Amino acid sequence: MLSVTPDVLIDLPWGQLLVNGLALGSLYALTAFGIVLIYKTTQVITFAQGETAMFSTFVAFTLLTAFQLPFAVAFALTLLFAGLFGALIERVVLRRISTTTVLNPVIVTVGLSLILLGGAGWIWGYEIRTFPDPVVGPPFRFGTIVLSQLNALIFVVTLVLMTILFAFFRFSPTGIAMRAVAENRMAAQLMGISIGRMNALGWGMGTAMGAVTGMLIAPINYLDPSMMGDVALKAFAAAVVGGLTSLPGAVVGGLLLGIVDSVAGFEAPELRNSIAFALIVIVLVVRPAGLLGRRETKKV
Amino acid sequence: MPSGARPLLVVNEIEAYYGRVCALHSVSLEVAEGSVVALLGANGAGKTTTLRVISGLLRPTSGSFEFDGKRIDGWSPDRLVRAGIVQVPEGRQIFAELTVRENLLLGGYARRDLGAARQEAPRVFDYFPRLRERLQQRAGTLSGGEQQMLAIGRALMARPRLLVLDEPSLGLAPMLVKEIFRVISEIRAAGTTVLLVEQNAHMALDVADRAYVLETGRVILSDRSAALRQREEVRRAYLGH
């Protein structure tokens, strides 16, 4: 489309970039939410979020192709798998790791991500595969804006999940107990809350959220062991921008990053990551605790 | 104290370390069912450490415990809460980000039975009517006195058999201290056994049937409150005359 105005910004199809950005940002938000959830509940920053998601997506792929299950069934089973997988990681590995230095769990989760990367390659191979489309059909059109069926699905899934999680943390005793553990582990123990159980639950839920991202992004991109590398990095950045201790912050950070990614990717694809991370640096310089984070006050 | 009452909690020669520092050398005590027992002592005498051991937060290196005739050594904090030992920790440790209502709800968490927890709420509001007015408020916005009421109310939601209070009067105005101690008497009158750590020896000896005096990780004195009050060393060190 030609334009007579010299202002390049006016040329941009803003509505479309916004819609695409929000869809991508929803996926960052889901993954970031998982990272923050695990951090808040267990005080461990996981660097394995992308790879547990990738591994779960391969499980979904196997269920869809080898077992020919319908997408909804494969989706549900994969969520279950990812939840148990996350809980298992907590039980078998992280619970035994000394947290006397913050570095121990970091190294362990980095190691875990490399193990999963190699493991997935060993089981499923390194070739790039196409992931079956969960939805097919013509895109929805709103004026000039096009919304693909897949992006519509991403919005629906994200909204539904966020609503469920909001209700869970607000109204269910287990959700309130998880918030209590995040705020004061000692006092939570004195309420009869089992920290071990909450840690496992946090890991399970966080890992399942990553799996949702994996299953929704694989149809857009491709499926191979390194599929989540870029997404996980962006999700991590989103979590930090949002404040790392704030679940709504993770969502805001994810959506923001998705929009920046979408606009920058259209205008200057080669600078996409540079622009996204420059923004992160700026946010953290201006607001060290992140957009919605709270300053950590050490309790004695 | 009714002399024939059986002990609800028995602590036998507990020894505990923080790292390499021996915090408790050999602490033994008994809390009779239905009584109020106070632990007195200066800062660093081992009062809070004793409570940490009793609530399962700190593992003793030797010694044993019995609760209601059962050995409870090595039980996790959550299991001890389910058994009926509920602690109000020093400094209240309420969940500031959660509402008063959510704090109270968590108090009953161990019971896995929300209906039962709801039945407990009216009793808590009888003791502390102010909590009812503040149900939807974030607990962090409460005053110090209200936070202490919430901490005790939250513990009562678990319907404890043994309520363990660590410095309930700390940092409170005299009026509020009186109110808290009035409620402690009422709680005991309602049949709950209380183990109390307190700096305020006057108030503690008023409400307690029996007290133990700790010094550098050892029990140096124990007797009925009335008798302890007469002891010269207690008067000098803890009652200020």
Side-chain angles (χ1 to χ4, degrees), chain A residues 40 169-198 201 294 299-300, chain B residues 52 55 57 77-78 81-82 85-90 92-99 101-103 105-110 112 114 138 154-155:
Chain A
K40 276 183 73 108
F169 285 115
R170 181 67 48 196
F171 303 115
S172 82
T174 308
I176 296 169
M178 285 181 87
R179 282 161 60 212
V181 169
E183 192 186 321
N184 187 333
R185 292 164 88 76
M186 192 264 277
Q189 277 180 291
L190 293 178
M191 300 298 105
I193 297 167
S194 158
I195 298 287
R197 200 168 295 165
M198 291 299 144
L201 185 61
R294 251 166 223 283
K299 292 182 206 85
V300 193
Chain B
R52 286 177 65 87
S55 56
L57 292 172
D78 51 291
V81 173
R82 285 197 296 277
I85 303 180
V86 181
Q87 190 185 148
V88 179
E90 189 181 0
R92 296 144 204 157
Q93 310 286 343
I94 51 141
F95 302 107
E97 301 285 319
L98 308 190
T99 63
R101 192 179 162 277
E102 288 170 332
N103 270 274
L105 197 78
L106 286 174
Y109 183 83
R112 305 271 151 98
L114 287 181
R138 268 195 337 110
R154 186 177 64 172

Side-chain angles (χ1 to χ4, degrees), chain A residues 239-277:
Chain A
V240 173
V241 163
L244 203 55
T245 54
S246 162
L247 292 170
V251 178
V252 171
L255 294 178
L256 188 70
L257 219 59
I259 292 167
V260 172
D261 232 20
S262 161
V263 174
F266 183 82
E267 192 56 24
E270 68 282 5
L271 289 179
R272 205 174 82 149
N273 284 346
S274 312
I275 292 172
F277 281 92

Side-chain angles (χ1 to χ4, degrees), chain B residues 20-85:
Chain B
R20 294 184 142 189
V21 182
C22 187
L24 297 181
H25 290 283
S26 174
V27 170
S28 300
L29 54 91
E30 276 189 26
V31 181
E33 181 138 41
S35 71
V36 175
V37 170
L39 289 185
L40 306 177
N43 270 333
K47 301 176 310 249
T48 293
T49 309
T50 305
L51 297 195
R52 286 177 65 87
V53 169
I54 289 170
S55 56
L57 292 172
L58 181 70
R59 284 274 160 94
T61 42
S62 67
S64 65
F65 299 91
E66 274 170 41
F67 182 68
D68 201 17
K70 264 188 304 227
R71 287 287 289 263
I72 52 167
D73 309 12
W75 283 26
S76 63
D78 51 291
R79 193 168 171 203
L80 289 167
V81 173
R82 285 197 296 277
I85 303 180

